Amino acid sequence: MLGFFLISRRRGCGAGHLPMTDSYPLPVARIGIIGGGQLARMMVKAAKRLGCTCVVLDPTPASPAGQVAGHQIVGGYHDADKLRELAAVADVLTYDLEAIGTETLFELAREGAVIHPSPQVLATIQDKLVQKQFLEAHGIPTADFVEADAITPETFAAFGYPLVQKARRGGYDGRGVAVMRDAEAFARNLPVPSLLERFVPAAKEIAVLVARGTDGDCRCYPLAEMWFRGEENVLDLLLAPADIDPAIAQTAEDIALRTVRALGGVGVFGVEMFVTADGEVLVNEVAPRTHNSGHHTIEACVTDQFEQHIRAVLGLPLGSTEQLRPAAMINLLGAPGYKGRGTINGMAAALAIPGVCLHLYGKASTSPFRKMGHVTVLDKDLQSARAKAERVRDLIEIIGEEKL
Ligand SMILES: Nc1ncnc2c1ncn2[C@@H]1O[C@H](COP(=O)(O)OP(=O)(O)O)[C@@H](O)[C@H]1O
Ligand SMILES: [Mg+2]
């Protein structure tokens, strides 16, 4: 079956974006997913809808995605043997996080494995310094930066405050980012290889989800507006479509498309951006995967980001990104001060509100600000969706059994 699959994939797309061989032995494909978190969990659900089977690689047994896939290899994302084990049982490999050993992925690709987005794209993005250099080299507007060759008060002061220190690798959900307004904040420095970035006083943070198919076809979702928790820099509230000037929205969309075309990968990409008070659009970072800013697409768009990603990596035509209703989304974060097995309070009260769609990720334990689930609210207009989402945020609490 693998042979057939690769041949039909290699034939790629003919006229009108349709594969030349429109015939698939069932299951349509065996998809190997590196990373078993919530993004992979939602990807598995979409893949199964399209008649695929999934295998997940994750170090935590019964990971959120492993539970849904029904087939998990327990192992680390840098473990060459486990990555090979996954590749051996999959027709196509993809991932839900950046922190993967790319050396093994490059080897597998050389041996003929189909990996989307490509190891080259992942290698460029997973090191935030290399990513910024890539953006700069391709004329994509982004905040000024330097490599932090030493983590000392002097090097930080020489770059100048306010600044943002970012770990080159391994950061996510604001872990690996330190916003420093002045020299006193140097005490909170991250003792790891880093870059320093100019602090951007953003009026808004937005994200553009872009899907790119194997034939180069690119599609943007309507822009989403992101609001972050001040201290933790983790996404708190998302509104879509974003309430911004149409000319700025067009600029943002153009920049996002240029970015993804320059990278050249296949799949869904999340392009995070700052919009400054005077309307300047700067790329913050790019995620080579489905993205938190697209969770609402499950209920609000014709083709959700997870199905879109599966379509892309299988070389199938991309679906419509049209948004059918305004949507607000909140992340359900673990309550501060607790860890361990979680309890959700306020679930019934939240579900009693019309338009509320609840997603829980099946994580065995909670910790402060850990993403445990999300809620999307659809409504006739953005403001009422937002009001309901904020009510849900007050109603639902996820508490761990151990007090910290
Ligand atoms: N240069 C910057 N200026 C102002 N705020 C920033 C800057 N860089 C990051 N932030 C804030 O920190 C958040 C997380 O940073 P980001 O680089 O996106 O890391 P992560 O990989 O954790 O998402 C951003 O969404 C934004 O709110
Ligand atoms: Mg980010």
Side-chain angles (χ1 to χ4, degrees), residues 204-250:
K204 275 193 178 165
E205 284 192 52
I206 58 170
V208 188
L209 277 180
V210 180
R212 185 169 179 278
T214 48
D215 58 351
D217 181 26
C218 282
R219 301 202 184 176
C220 277
Y221 282 85
L223 270 54
E225 193 172 319
M226 303 185 288
W227 294 91
F228 288 78
R229 289 183 63 88
E231 281 290 294
E232 294 80 20
N233 291 322
V234 57
L235 180 64
D236 190 32
L237 171 72
L238 176 128
L239 303 172
D243 178 19
I244 56 171
D245 179 87
I248 296 175
Q250 190 57 56

mmCIF file of all heavy atoms in Angstrom, residues 204-250:
data_model
loop_
_atom_site.group_PDB
_atom_site.id
_atom_site.type_symbol
_atom_site.label_atom_id
_atom_site.label_comp_id
_atom_site.label_asym_id
_atom_site.label_seq_id
_atom_site.Cartn_x
_atom_site.Cartn_y
_atom_site.Cartn_z
ATOM 1 N N LYS A 204 -2.765 45.746 18.459
ATOM 2 C CA LYS A 204 -3.443 44.456 18.351
ATOM 3 C C LYS A 204 -2.454 43.382 17.958
ATOM 4 O O LYS A 204 -1.479 43.657 17.250
ATOM 5 C CB LYS A 204 -4.530 44.511 17.275
ATOM 6 C CG LYS A 204 -5.814 45.044 17.819
ATOM 7 C CD LYS A 204 -7.001 44.862 16.958
ATOM 8 C CE LYS A 204 -8.187 45.440 17.752
ATOM 9 N NZ LYS A 204 -9.354 45.655 16.963
ATOM 10 N N GLU A 205 -2.737 42.167 18.409
ATOM 11 C CA GLU A 205 -2.031 41.009 17.880
ATOM 12 C C GLU A 205 -3.029 40.223 17.055
ATOM 13 O O GLU A 205 -4.157 39.980 17.495
ATOM 14 C CB GLU A 205 -1.482 40.129 19.003
ATOM 15 C CG GLU A 205 -0.250 40.720 19.651
ATOM 16 C CD GLU A 205 0.470 39.731 20.575
ATOM 17 O OE1 GLU A 205 0.774 38.604 20.143
ATOM 18 O OE2 GLU A 205 0.713 40.100 21.715
ATOM 19 N N ILE A 206 -2.608 39.844 15.859
ATOM 20 C CA ILE A 206 -3.496 39.083 14.985
ATOM 21 C C ILE A 206 -2.765 37.826 14.484
ATOM 22 O O ILE A 206 -1.544 37.724 14.611
ATOM 23 C CB ILE A 206 -3.961 39.919 13.769
ATOM 24 C CG1 ILE A 206 -2.761 40.414 12.964
ATOM 25 C CG2 ILE A 206 -4.836 41.079 14.205
ATOM 26 C CD1 ILE A 206 -3.144 41.039 11.637
ATOM 27 N N ALA A 207 -3.534 36.907 13.955
ATOM 28 C CA ALA A 207 -2.920 35.732 13.333
ATOM 29 C C ALA A 207 -3.617 35.469 12.013
ATOM 30 O O ALA A 207 -4.829 35.649 11.895
ATOM 31 C CB ALA A 207 -3.049 34.522 14.229
ATOM 32 N N VAL A 208 -2.816 35.102 11.030
ATOM 33 C CA VAL A 208 -3.377 34.687 9.749
ATOM 34 C C VAL A 208 -3.001 33.223 9.550
ATOM 35 O O VAL A 208 -1.827 32.867 9.543
ATOM 36 C CB VAL A 208 -2.813 35.512 8.571
ATOM 37 C CG1 VAL A 208 -3.583 35.183 7.296
ATOM 38 C CG2 VAL A 208 -2.889 36.998 8.862
ATOM 39 N N LEU A 209 -4.020 32.402 9.430
ATOM 40 C CA LEU A 209 -3.788 30.992 9.126
ATOM 41 C C LEU A 209 -3.726 30.859 7.617
ATOM 42 O O LEU A 209 -4.629 31.334 6.916
ATOM 43 C CB LEU A 209 -4.961 30.153 9.603
ATOM 44 C CG LEU A 209 -5.023 29.717 11.050
ATOM 45 C CD1 LEU A 209 -6.280 28.901 11.250
ATOM 46 C CD2 LEU A 209 -3.804 28.907 11.431
ATOM 47 N N VAL A 210 -2.658 30.223 7.150
ATOM 48 C CA VAL A 210 -2.500 30.024 5.716
ATOM 49 C C VAL A 210 -2.311 28.534 5.455
ATOM 50 O O VAL A 210 -1.494 27.891 6.119
ATOM 51 C CB VAL A 210 -1.266 30.783 5.171
ATOM 52 C CG1 VAL A 210 -1.115 30.570 3.672
ATOM 53 C CG2 VAL A 210 -1.350 32.271 5.492
ATOM 54 N N ALA A 211 -3.068 28.006 4.513
ATOM 55 C CA ALA A 211 -2.866 26.617 4.107
ATOM 56 C C ALA A 211 -2.168 26.631 2.763
ATOM 57 O O ALA A 211 -2.489 27.443 1.890
ATOM 58 C CB ALA A 211 -4.208 25.906 3.992
ATOM 59 N N ARG A 212 -1.190 25.730 2.623
ATOM 60 C CA ARG A 212 -0.515 25.612 1.322
ATOM 61 C C ARG A 212 -0.529 24.145 0.896
ATOM 62 O O ARG A 212 -0.125 23.269 1.652
ATOM 63 C CB ARG A 212 0.917 26.139 1.403
ATOM 64 C CG ARG A 212 1.629 26.155 0.072
ATOM 65 C CD ARG A 212 2.946 26.916 0.130
ATOM 66 N NE ARG A 212 3.602 26.896 -1.152
ATOM 67 C CZ ARG A 212 4.341 25.883 -1.595
ATOM 68 N NH1 ARG A 212 4.527 24.824 -0.848
ATOM 69 N NH2 ARG A 212 4.910 25.934 -2.785
ATOM 70 N N GLY A 213 -1.018 23.909 -0.298
ATOM 71 C CA GLY A 213 -1.137 22.538 -0.813
ATOM 72 C C GLY A 213 0.134 22.081 -1.514
ATOM 73 O O GLY A 213 1.056 22.876 -1.736
ATOM 74 N N THR A 214 0.174 20.806 -1.893
ATOM 75 C CA THR A 214 1.374 20.280 -2.570
ATOM 76 C C THR A 214 1.583 20.937 -3.934
ATOM 77 O O THR A 214 2.682 20.954 -4.469
ATOM 78 C CB THR A 214 1.289 18.747 -2.771
ATOM 79 O OG1 THR A 214 0.008 18.429 -3.315
ATOM 80 C CG2 THR A 214 1.469 18.000 -1.468
ATOM 81 N N ASP A 215 0.503 21.487 -4.511
ATOM 82 C CA ASP A 215 0.624 22.149 -5.816
ATOM 83 C C ASP A 215 0.900 23.646 -5.676
ATOM 84 O O ASP A 215 0.899 24.375 -6.652
ATOM 85 C CB ASP A 215 -0.673 21.945 -6.624
ATOM 86 C CG ASP A 215 -1.893 22.491 -5.893
ATOM 87 O OD1 ASP A 215 -1.747 22.863 -4.698
ATOM 88 O OD2 ASP A 215 -2.977 22.555 -6.498
ATOM 89 N N GLY A 216 1.146 24.105 -4.422
ATOM 90 C CA GLY A 216 1.453 25.514 -4.210
ATOM 91 C C GLY A 216 0.233 26.394 -4.010
ATOM 92 O O GLY A 216 0.363 27.587 -3.729
ATOM 93 N N ASP A 217 -0.958 25.808 -4.142
ATOM 94 C CA ASP A 217 -2.187 26.581 -3.909
ATOM 95 C C ASP A 217 -2.192 27.056 -2.448
ATOM 96 O O ASP A 217 -1.964 26.267 -1.543
ATOM 97 C CB ASP A 217 -3.397 25.665 -4.190
ATOM 98 C CG ASP A 217 -4.732 26.376 -3.999
ATOM 99 O OD1 ASP A 217 -4.768 27.619 -4.146
ATOM 100 O OD2 ASP A 217 -5.737 25.696 -3.705
ATOM 101 N N CYS A 218 -2.438 28.371 -2.246
ATOM 102 C CA CYS A 218 -2.448 28.917 -0.882
ATOM 103 C C CYS A 218 -3.804 29.525 -0.568
ATOM 104 O O CYS A 218 -4.384 30.208 -1.417
ATOM 105 C CB CYS A 218 -1.401 30.027 -0.747
ATOM 106 S SG CYS A 218 0.263 29.424 -0.563
ATOM 107 N N ARG A 219 -4.292 29.289 0.637
ATOM 108 C CA ARG A 219 -5.550 29.907 1.054
ATOM 109 C C ARG A 219 -5.428 30.464 2.465
ATOM 110 O O ARG A 219 -4.901 29.796 3.348
ATOM 111 C CB ARG A 219 -6.663 28.883 1.045
ATOM 112 C CG ARG A 219 -6.821 28.313 -0.335
ATOM 113 C CD ARG A 219 -8.155 27.737 -0.571
ATOM 114 N NE ARG A 219 -8.114 27.158 -1.910
ATOM 115 C CZ ARG A 219 -9.090 26.486 -2.460
ATOM 116 N NH1 ARG A 219 -10.206 26.309 -1.794
ATOM 117 N NH2 ARG A 219 -8.974 26.017 -3.671
ATOM 118 N N CYS A 220 -5.974 31.662 2.641
ATOM 119 C CA CYS A 220 -5.961 32.317 3.953
ATOM 120 C C CYS A 220 -7.319 32.183 4.611
ATOM 121 O O CYS A 220 -8.343 32.300 3.948
ATOM 122 C CB CYS A 220 -5.773 33.819 3.770
ATOM 123 S SG CYS A 220 -4.111 34.328 3.553
ATOM 124 N N TYR A 221 -7.324 32.029 5.907
ATOM 125 C CA TYR A 221 -8.567 32.151 6.674
ATOM 126 C C TYR A 221 -8.761 33.617 7.033
ATOM 127 O O TYR A 221 -7.790 34.387 7.077
ATOM 128 C CB TYR A 221 -8.470 31.329 7.963
ATOM 129 C CG TYR A 221 -8.664 29.853 7.728
ATOM 130 C CD1 TYR A 221 -7.595 29.044 7.337
ATOM 131 C CD2 TYR A 221 -9.911 29.266 7.877
ATOM 132 C CE1 TYR A 221 -7.776 27.686 7.101
ATOM 133 C CE2 TYR A 221 -10.098 27.902 7.647
ATOM 134 C CZ TYR A 221 -9.034 27.122 7.259
ATOM 135 O OH TYR A 221 -9.219 25.786 7.025
ATOM 136 N N PRO A 222 -10.003 34.022 7.289
ATOM 137 C CA PRO A 222 -10.202 35.388 7.772
ATOM 138 C C PRO A 222 -9.337 35.634 9.010
ATOM 139 O O PRO A 222 -9.153 34.717 9.823
ATOM 140 C CB PRO A 222 -11.692 35.413 8.118
ATOM 141 C CG PRO A 222 -12.305 34.343 7.274
ATOM 142 C CD PRO A 222 -11.261 33.272 7.154
ATOM 143 N N LEU A 223 -8.811 36.841 9.140
ATOM 144 C CA LEU A 223 -7.893 37.170 10.229
ATOM 145 C C LEU A 223 -8.535 36.973 11.596
ATOM 146 O O LEU A 223 -9.721 37.248 11.774
ATOM 147 C CB LEU A 223 -7.502 38.647 10.126
ATOM 148 C CG LEU A 223 -6.273 38.980 9.295
ATOM 149 C CD1 LEU A 223 -6.363 38.423 7.907
ATOM 150 C CD2 LEU A 223 -6.079 40.475 9.260
ATOM 151 N N ALA A 224 -7.720 36.544 12.547
ATOM 152 C CA ALA A 224 -8.195 36.416 13.926
ATOM 153 C C ALA A 224 -7.422 37.389 14.806
ATOM 154 O O ALA A 224 -6.232 37.649 14.574
ATOM 155 C CB ALA A 224 -7.987 34.994 14.419
ATOM 156 N N GLU A 225 -8.112 37.917 15.787
ATOM 157 C CA GLU A 225 -7.527 38.891 16.710
ATOM 158 C C GLU A 225 -7.234 38.152 18.011
ATOM 159 O O GLU A 225 -8.103 37.433 18.510
ATOM 160 C CB GLU A 225 -8.620 39.932 16.936
ATOM 161 C CG GLU A 225 -8.222 41.174 17.584
ATOM 162 C CD GLU A 225 -9.410 42.160 17.533
ATOM 163 O OE1 GLU A 225 -10.113 42.261 16.503
ATOM 164 O OE2 GLU A 225 -9.636 42.804 18.559
ATOM 165 N N MET A 226 -6.021 38.314 18.551
ATOM 166 C CA MET A 226 -5.641 37.541 19.741
ATOM 167 C C MET A 226 -5.376 38.474 20.915
ATOM 168 O O MET A 226 -4.678 39.471 20.778
ATOM 169 C CB MET A 226 -4.367 36.752 19.472
ATOM 170 C CG MET A 226 -4.451 35.809 18.275
ATOM 171 S SD MET A 226 -2.968 34.808 18.094
ATOM 172 C CE MET A 226 -1.777 36.017 17.533
ATOM 173 N N TRP A 227 -5.900 38.110 22.060
ATOM 174 C CA TRP A 227 -5.628 38.855 23.288
ATOM 175 C C TRP A 227 -4.936 37.922 24.259
ATOM 176 O O TRP A 227 -5.394 36.805 24.490
ATOM 177 C CB TRP A 227 -6.928 39.427 23.871
ATOM 178 C CG TRP A 227 -7.493 40.458 22.933
ATOM 179 C CD1 TRP A 227 -8.390 40.240 21.928
ATOM 180 C CD2 TRP A 227 -7.135 41.845 22.863
ATOM 181 N NE1 TRP A 227 -8.629 41.404 21.228
ATOM 182 C CE2 TRP A 227 -7.872 42.406 21.788
ATOM 183 C CE3 TRP A 227 -6.270 42.668 23.591
ATOM 184 C CZ2 TRP A 227 -7.767 43.752 21.445
ATOM 185 C CZ3 TRP A 227 -6.174 44.003 23.246
ATOM 186 C CH2 TRP A 227 -6.913 44.537 22.183
ATOM 187 N N PHE A 228 -3.823 38.411 24.820
ATOM 188 C CA PHE A 228 -2.974 37.555 25.658
ATOM 189 C C PHE A 228 -3.062 37.936 27.125
ATOM 190 O O PHE A 228 -3.323 39.090 27.459
ATOM 191 C CB PHE A 228 -1.507 37.675 25.218
ATOM 192 C CG PHE A 228 -1.247 36.995 23.906
ATOM 193 C CD1 PHE A 228 -1.612 37.602 22.708
ATOM 194 C CD2 PHE A 228 -0.691 35.740 23.874
ATOM 195 C CE1 PHE A 228 -1.403 36.963 21.496
ATOM 196 C CE2 PHE A 228 -0.478 35.090 22.667
ATOM 197 C CZ PHE A 228 -0.827 35.703 21.481
ATOM 198 N N ARG A 229 -2.810 36.969 28.000
ATOM 199 C CA ARG A 229 -2.672 37.264 29.421
ATOM 200 C C ARG A 229 -1.369 38.023 29.589
ATOM 201 O O ARG A 229 -0.308 37.549 29.174
ATOM 202 C CB ARG A 229 -2.599 35.978 30.243
ATOM 203 C CG ARG A 229 -3.901 35.212 30.338
ATOM 204 C CD ARG A 229 -3.691 34.016 31.243
ATOM 205 N NE ARG A 229 -3.344 34.446 32.586
ATOM 206 C CZ ARG A 229 -4.230 34.720 33.519
ATOM 207 N NH1 ARG A 229 -5.512 34.562 33.283
ATOM 208 N NH2 ARG A 229 -3.846 35.141 34.710
ATOM 209 N N GLY A 230 -1.455 39.189 30.219
ATOM 210 C CA GLY A 230 -0.309 40.089 30.339
ATOM 211 C C GLY A 230 0.943 39.416 30.884
ATOM 212 O O GLY A 230 2.001 39.457 30.264
ATOM 213 N N GLU A 231 0.830 38.748 32.023
ATOM 214 C CA GLU A 231 2.014 38.207 32.682
ATOM 215 C C GLU A 231 2.590 36.990 31.966
ATOM 216 O O GLU A 231 3.780 36.880 31.748
ATOM 217 C CB GLU A 231 1.650 37.781 34.125
ATOM 218 C CG GLU A 231 1.564 38.942 35.101
ATOM 219 C CD GLU A 231 2.936 39.535 35.387
ATOM 220 O OE1 GLU A 231 3.743 38.822 35.987
ATOM 221 O OE2 GLU A 231 3.184 40.691 34.986
ATOM 222 N N GLU A 232 1.691 36.082 31.594
ATOM 223 C CA GLU A 232 2.153 34.774 31.103
ATOM 224 C C GLU A 232 2.328 34.734 29.587
ATOM 225 O O GLU A 232 2.872 33.756 29.062
ATOM 226 C CB GLU A 232 1.178 33.665 31.528
ATOM 227 C CG GLU A 232 1.110 33.432 33.036
ATOM 228 C CD GLU A 232 0.228 34.432 33.758
ATOM 229 O OE1 GLU A 232 -0.613 35.064 33.092
ATOM 230 O OE2 GLU A 232 0.405 34.601 34.976
ATOM 231 N N ASN A 233 1.843 35.769 28.865
ATOM 232 C CA ASN A 233 1.939 35.800 27.401
ATOM 233 C C ASN A 233 1.271 34.595 26.746
ATOM 234 O O ASN A 233 1.700 34.110 25.701
ATOM 235 C CB ASN A 233 3.406 35.875 26.941
ATOM 236 C CG ASN A 233 4.014 37.215 27.272
ATOM 237 O OD1 ASN A 233 3.359 38.244 27.165
ATOM 238 N ND2 ASN A 233 5.246 37.209 27.716
ATOM 239 N N VAL A 234 0.207 34.078 27.368
ATOM 240 C CA VAL A 234 -0.501 32.948 26.778
ATOM 241 C C VAL A 234 -1.849 33.459 26.251
ATOM 242 O O VAL A 234 -2.459 34.358 26.843
ATOM 243 C CB VAL A 234 -0.644 31.779 27.787
ATOM 244 C CG1 VAL A 234 -1.333 32.181 29.052
ATOM 245 C CG2 VAL A 234 -1.349 30.580 27.165
ATOM 246 N N LEU A 235 -2.262 32.900 25.104
ATOM 247 C CA LEU A 235 -3.490 33.368 24.452
ATOM 248 C C LEU A 235 -4.691 33.175 25.369
ATOM 249 O O LEU A 235 -4.909 32.106 25.927
ATOM 250 C CB LEU A 235 -3.697 32.591 23.144
ATOM 251 C CG LEU A 235 -4.953 32.962 22.341
ATOM 252 C CD1 LEU A 235 -4.890 34.400 21.864
ATOM 253 C CD2 LEU A 235 -5.128 32.027 21.158
ATOM 254 N N ASP A 236 -5.470 34.232 25.499
ATOM 255 C CA ASP A 236 -6.570 34.250 26.450
ATOM 256 C C ASP A 236 -7.915 34.304 25.724
ATOM 257 O O ASP A 236 -8.840 33.568 26.040
ATOM 258 C CB ASP A 236 -6.374 35.503 27.321
ATOM 259 C CG ASP A 236 -7.300 35.519 28.506
ATOM 260 O OD1 ASP A 236 -7.625 34.433 29.016
ATOM 261 O OD2 ASP A 236 -7.696 36.625 28.921
ATOM 262 N N LEU A 237 -7.991 35.191 24.741
ATOM 263 C CA LEU A 237 -9.247 35.390 24.019
ATOM 264 C C LEU A 237 -8.941 35.599 22.539
ATOM 265 O O LEU A 237 -8.004 36.323 22.190
ATOM 266 C CB LEU A 237 -9.956 36.641 24.565
ATOM 267 C CG LEU A 237 -11.175 37.131 23.782
ATOM 268 C CD1 LEU A 237 -12.369 36.201 23.968
ATOM 269 C CD2 LEU A 237 -11.558 38.553 24.211
ATOM 270 N N LEU A 238 -9.748 34.965 21.699
ATOM 271 C CA LEU A 238 -9.572 35.120 20.263
ATOM 272 C C LEU A 238 -10.892 35.568 19.635
ATOM 273 O O LEU A 238 -11.952 35.043 19.999
ATOM 274 C CB LEU A 238 -9.147 33.773 19.671
ATOM 275 C CG LEU A 238 -9.017 33.775 18.152
ATOM 276 C CD1 LEU A 238 -7.662 33.220 17.763
ATOM 277 C CD2 LEU A 238 -10.116 32.984 17.500
ATOM 278 N N LEU A 239 -10.816 36.523 18.741
ATOM 279 C CA LEU A 239 -12.015 37.011 18.054
ATOM 280 C C LEU A 239 -11.810 36.882 16.551
ATOM 281 O O LEU A 239 -10.768 37.269 16.017
ATOM 282 C CB LEU A 239 -12.258 38.487 18.402
ATOM 283 C CG LEU A 239 -12.407 38.811 19.895
ATOM 284 C CD1 LEU A 239 -12.436 40.328 20.105
ATOM 285 C CD2 LEU A 239 -13.659 38.179 20.475
ATOM 286 N N ALA A 240 -12.803 36.343 15.871
ATOM 287 C CA ALA A 240 -12.687 36.188 14.420
ATOM 288 C C ALA A 240 -14.044 36.395 13.759
ATOM 289 O O ALA A 240 -15.038 35.856 14.233
ATOM 290 C CB ALA A 240 -12.152 34.798 14.075
ATOM 291 N N PRO A 241 -14.123 37.160 12.676
ATOM 292 C CA PRO A 241 -12.993 37.825 12.026
ATOM 293 C C PRO A 241 -12.518 39.038 12.840
ATOM 294 O O PRO A 241 -13.309 39.647 13.569
ATOM 295 C CB PRO A 241 -13.590 38.263 10.685
ATOM 296 C CG PRO A 241 -15.068 38.277 10.864
ATOM 297 C CD PRO A 241 -15.394 37.334 11.957
ATOM 298 N N ALA A 242 -11.221 39.368 12.696
ATOM 299 C CA ALA A 242 -10.632 40.477 13.460
ATOM 300 C C ALA A 242 -11.305 41.791 13.084
ATOM 301 O O ALA A 242 -11.640 42.001 11.912
ATOM 302 C CB ALA A 242 -9.135 40.561 13.160
ATOM 303 N N ASP A 243 -11.468 42.631 14.090
ATOM 304 C CA ASP A 243 -12.063 43.942 13.866
ATOM 305 C C ASP A 243 -10.934 44.926 13.541
ATOM 306 O O ASP A 243 -10.451 45.637 14.416
ATOM 307 C CB ASP A 243 -12.827 44.344 15.143
ATOM 308 C CG ASP A 243 -13.450 45.723 15.018
ATOM 309 O OD1 ASP A 243 -13.609 46.195 13.875
ATOM 310 O OD2 ASP A 243 -13.738 46.326 16.068
ATOM 311 N N ILE A 244 -10.483 44.903 12.287
ATOM 312 C CA ILE A 244 -9.443 45.864 11.894
ATOM 313 C C ILE A 244 -9.748 46.455 10.525
ATOM 314 O O ILE A 244 -10.501 45.890 9.740
ATOM 315 C CB ILE A 244 -8.000 45.280 11.899
ATOM 316 C CG1 ILE A 244 -7.890 44.045 11.007
ATOM 317 C CG2 ILE A 244 -7.510 44.951 13.276
ATOM 318 C CD1 ILE A 244 -6.446 43.592 10.834
ATOM 319 N N ASP A 245 -9.109 47.578 10.278
ATOM 320 C CA ASP A 245 -9.259 48.310 9.031
ATOM 321 C C ASP A 245 -9.006 47.365 7.837
ATOM 322 O O ASP A 245 -8.009 46.630 7.821
ATOM 323 C CB ASP A 245 -8.215 49.439 9.065
ATOM 324 C CG ASP A 245 -8.246 50.265 7.817
ATOM 325 O OD1 ASP A 245 -9.035 51.215 7.784
ATOM 326 O OD2 ASP A 245 -7.491 49.938 6.866
ATOM 327 N N PRO A 246 -9.906 47.361 6.828
ATOM 328 C CA PRO A 246 -9.746 46.432 5.704
ATOM 329 C C PRO A 246 -8.409 46.567 4.974
ATOM 330 O O PRO A 246 -7.849 45.560 4.516
ATOM 331 C CB PRO A 246 -10.904 46.802 4.765
ATOM 332 C CG PRO A 246 -11.893 47.517 5.611
ATOM 333 C CD PRO A 246 -11.138 48.150 6.740
ATOM 334 N N ALA A 247 -7.867 47.784 4.905
ATOM 335 C CA ALA A 247 -6.583 47.965 4.217
ATOM 336 C C ALA A 247 -5.469 47.278 5.015
ATOM 337 O O ALA A 247 -4.567 46.646 4.442
ATOM 338 C CB ALA A 247 -6.276 49.447 4.042
ATOM 339 N N ILE A 248 -5.539 47.389 6.338
ATOM 340 C CA ILE A 248 -4.520 46.731 7.180
ATOM 341 C C ILE A 248 -4.688 45.214 7.079
ATOM 342 O O ILE A 248 -3.704 44.463 6.998
ATOM 343 C CB ILE A 248 -4.630 47.214 8.651
ATOM 344 C CG1 ILE A 248 -4.315 48.708 8.726
ATOM 345 C CG2 ILE A 248 -3.696 46.421 9.560
ATOM 346 C CD1 ILE A 248 -4.498 49.324 10.094
ATOM 347 N N ALA A 249 -5.933 44.767 7.049
ATOM 348 C CA ALA A 249 -6.196 43.324 6.928
ATOM 349 C C ALA A 249 -5.599 42.797 5.627
ATOM 350 O O ALA A 249 -4.978 41.728 5.598
ATOM 351 C CB ALA A 249 -7.697 43.059 6.984
ATOM 352 N N GLN A 250 -5.743 43.564 4.566
ATOM 353 C CA GLN A 250 -5.195 43.150 3.263
ATOM 354 C C GLN A 250 -3.674 43.067 3.323
ATOM 355 O O GLN A 250 -3.067 42.110 2.831
ATOM 356 C CB GLN A 250 -5.652 44.147 2.178
ATOM 357 C CG GLN A 250 -5.347 43.709 0.759
ATOM 358 C CD GLN A 250 -5.972 42.347 0.416
ATOM 359 O OE1 GLN A 250 -7.180 42.171 0.550
ATOM 360 N NE2 GLN A 250 -5.153 41.378 0.011
#
